[in-house]
Amino acid sequence: MTPPPAHRAVRPLRVAVRTTAKRDSGPCENEDSAAADINAGRFALSDGASAAARAEVWSRLLTEAFVNGGDPLTSSTLSALRRSWREHVSAPDLAWYAREKLAQGSAATFLGVRVETSGYTVTAVGDSCLFHISERELVLVAPLTDSREFSRFPELVHTSPDTPVPLDHVWSGGGPLRDGDVLLLATDAVAKYLLRQHRETGELPAVLDHLEDEEQFLKFITHAREHGLENDDSTVCAVWT
């Protein structure tokens, strides 16, 4: 039997995902994750909490679950992902201090975007942000809207089964799209920098012009760090409609 065709986003889309770790850190130390499925019109970003255990695994599980059609914030999916995280990070020969840290669990922000015929929808927990850009003008940014709103303690999705995601920690929204619009998903360091520059100059830095490859993105991040971008894992997912 021929399987049914996968759902395809009606709009023709183009996507670029770029990431770089903190200065003087290697790729394996990058705790950000991003995932994209153009055919399904699903895109996700997650920033693993630096103090949490194996946050890179948790952020990856959250983003992959979303682009594969799930909602990682529903109780059933979240429970399954928590079990999966535990299976991924557990090993019988772990040192006692590693086991102790794993027992404290992990945590990460989450940002999921779905593009459909009529526009797009967004779900977010924490300070990874979506920028809707039309003709280089900022149409919408969420869930935070000002660089001064960022803090060291964003809302997070936790691996601990006794730490639910309260409804008031979840931001949901969306809007219509025009041909040529761009949806830019960014983890906190990049989002905060973009919003600060926009507040001070009225314009967004030209990050969209530096996504052709990883080298161009690294040049943008290096320059931005010299002008106020915090030294943190930096990840973006740009979707052109």
Side-chain angles (χ1 to χ4, degrees):
M1 178 182 294
T2 303
H7 168 75
R8 297 183 63 86
V10 173
R11 290 176 172 274
L13 303 173
R14 181 168 61 93
V15 64
V17 176
R18 301 288 179 249
T19 187
T20 187
K22 303 175 186 68
R23 186 188 299 112
D24 300 325
S25 295
C28 64
E29 298 172 277
N30 190 338
E31 294 165 324
D32 288 354
S33 293
D37 185 334
I38 289 181
N39 290 337
R42 284 177 171 262
F43 310 91
L45 205 65
S46 179
D47 178 1
S50 296
R54 298 302 306 274
E56 81 287 356
V57 175
W58 184 232
S59 66
R60 175 174 56 81
L61 289 172
L62 291 172
T63 56
E64 289 180 351
F66 182 82
V67 300
N68 287 330
D71 180 353
L73 302 185
T74 61
S75 59
S76 59
T77 302
L78 185 55
S79 294
L81 291 175
R82 286 167 167 167
R83 290 193 297 270
S84 182
W85 177 82
R86 181 67 58 184
E87 292 168 359
H88 275 80
V89 302
S90 297
D93 57 347
L94 287 176
W96 67 266
Y97 52 83
R99 293 196 301 271
E100 188 172 275
K101 184 163 186 177
L102 287 176
Q104 299 172 9
S106 195
T109 67
F110 172 74
L111 175 65
V113 177
R114 186 171 184 182
V115 178
E116 299 177 306
T117 309
S118 57
Y120 67 97
T121 56
V122 189
T123 304
V125 176
D127 55 9
S128 294
C129 292
L130 171 77
F131 295 76
H132 176 187
I133 303 164
S134 183
E135 297 181 350
R136 294 194 175 269
E137 294 295 324
L138 187 57
V139 176
L140 175 143
V141 59
L144 304 187
T145 61
D146 190 294
S147 61
R148 293 165 291 193
E149 296 177 21
F150 289 80
S151 75
R152 293 176 54 204
F153 306 104
E155 309 296 352
L156 299 168
V157 182
H158 294 263
T159 59
S160 174
D162 57 357
T163 308
V165 182
L167 288 177
D168 61 352
H169 289 184
V170 181
W171 188 94
S172 299
L177 284 169
R178 297 192 303 173
D179 291 345
D181 284 4
V182 182
L183 300 175
L184 177 69
L185 294 72
T187 50
D188 61 333
V190 178
K192 181 179 180 180
Y193 173 75
L194 295 178
L195 283 171
R196 181 171 62 82
Q197 292 294 313
H198 186 266
R199 175 168 54 85
E200 294 177 354
T201 68
E203 298 181 351
L204 286 172
V207 61
L208 296 177
D209 297 334
H210 294 81
L211 301 181
E212 182 176 348
D213 53 39
E214 294 288 354
E215 182 180 357
Q216 287 297 315
F217 181 63
L218 182 56
K219 286 181 179 179
F220 173 85
I221 294 298
T222 300
H223 179 268
R225 284 174 177 164
E226 296 171 354
H227 295 82
L229 174 67
E230 296 175 2
N231 182 29
D232 195 2
D233 299 334
S234 298
T235 302
V236 301
C237 173
V239 183
W240 287 266
T241 66

